[in-house]
Amino acid sequence: QSVLTQPPSVSAAPGQRVTISCSGSSFNIGNNYVSWYQQFPGTAPKLLIYENNKRPSGIPDRFSGSKSGTSATLGITGLQTGDEADYYCGTWDVSLSAVVFGGGTKLTVL
Amino acid sequence: EVQLVESGGGLVQPGGSLRLSCAASGFTFSTYWMSWVRQAPGKGLEWVASIMQDGSEKYFVDSVKGRFTISRDNAKNSLYLQMNTLRAEDTAVYFCARDLPSCYGGSCSWGHDAFDVWGQGTMVTVSS
């Protein structure tokens, strides 16, 4: 059972918008920045969003992040088949003194 | 090019030991916190351990405390994970990752909330 809760899967049609939620507590999301990662099968995770809503260089603005209270959300607009991947949220948990990740969400672009 | 390359994975019997290495290049290794993150087959990401720039501060996930040690050699731009008393549940791909600091006005802090560079991973299989 992950400390951060994500839906196991989401799906949407090409061109549409999808959101992936990440729910935590005051010990983690509520008091720390949230990051988001994209992972394709057999490859390393890639940082998509850091500090709740910032994109590293090279990440298109189709990807966005937000945080409210103890929850965070990843948004992807203009869905492409190439966006099919697993997405993870992560942050620091002050009570555990540990980095915690969500269980991951598999995105299917129908 | 900023790069992390892991090595040292393999098949080991339960109760055995293994030492993973991560070679860093393309950035000033000694100025970054570094971490290990693992992923069991078909499962999600699990953070394992992190180490401060000079090695004086370390954090571990509860499940590996007392069994795993994280260390670094800044002169060799290398990160290590010594894994002892290995269990079947330690079977995973182990990734080396660089912590991303939060920087404002020329000052940076380390919240351990993001990893911006990842290695390709090395597989560790614990089985008899």
Side-chain angles (χ1 to χ4, degrees):
Chain A
Q1 194 79 341
S2 301
V3 173
L4 304 181
T5 301
Q6 297 181 234
S9 64
V10 296
S11 62
Q16 296 299 304
R17 178 178 184 265
V18 72
T19 60
I20 298 173
S21 61
C22 176
S23 177
S25 73
S26 60
F27 295 116
N28 40 69
I29 292 178
N31 278 288
N32 291 284
Y33 288 129
V34 176
S35 55
W36 289 91
Y37 304 86
Q38 177 189 60
Q39 186 182 34
F40 297 106
T43 69
K46 177 182 180 181
L47 180 64
L48 282 181
I49 298 290
Y50 66 99
E51 292 181 15
N52 303 332
N53 55 20
K54 295 181 179 179
R55 290 185 308 276
S57 174
I59 301 300
D61 59 7
R62 299 190 299 109
F63 296 90
S64 64
S66 64
K67 189 184 96 166
S68 178
T70 59
S71 294
T73 302
L74 173 70
I76 311 174
T77 59
L79 274 173
Q80 303 172 3
T81 56
D83 295 331
E84 283 202 341
D86 294 321
Y87 293 83
Y88 296 90
C89 57
T91 188
W92 177 257
D93 189 294
V94 297
S95 67
L96 299 173
S97 291
V99 176
V100 291
F101 289 104
T105 299
K106 181 176 181 60
L107 169 63
T108 301
V109 181
L110 304 168
Chain B
E1 179 192 6
V2 175
Q3 195 172 13
L4 298 172
V5 178
E6 303 93 337
S7 60
L11 174 64
V12 61
Q13 292 188 339
S17 298
L18 210 56
R19 188 198 196 203
L20 305 183
S21 299
C22 171
S25 60
F27 66 99
T28 307
F29 178 74
S30 62
T31 64
Y32 284 86
W33 275 80
M34 296 294 298
S35 299
W36 289 96
V37 177
R38 68 184 178 183
Q39 186 170 37
K43 302 298 184 181
L45 302 175
E46 181 184 38
W47 167 79
V48 176
S50 296
I51 184 170
M52 192 175 180
Q53 290 90 330
D54 64 0
S56 62
E57 196 170 331
K58 305 173 185 179
Y59 296 99
F60 297 90
V61 67
D62 283 348
S63 60
V64 308
K65 285 179 181 176
R67 300 189 300 122
F68 289 13
T69 301
I70 187 172
S71 62
R72 63 192 297 164
D73 185 335
N74 289 337
K76 295 182 178 180
N77 292 330
S78 293
L79 177 71
Y80 306 102
L81 186 68
Q82 177 66 43
M83 305 184 294
N84 299 328
T85 319
L86 282 160
R87 306 167 179 166
E89 52 265 36
D90 295 318
T91 294
V93 174
Y94 285 73
F95 297 100
C96 168
R98 187 178 81 171
D99 286 40
L100 177 65
S102 294
C103 298
Y104 296 94
S107 176
C108 295
S109 62
W110 299 87
H112 314 296
D113 48 50
F115 305 109
D116 66 338
V117 181
W118 295 69
Q120 85 288 351
T122 187
M123 182 70 202
V124 172
T125 302
V126 184
S127 174
S128 55

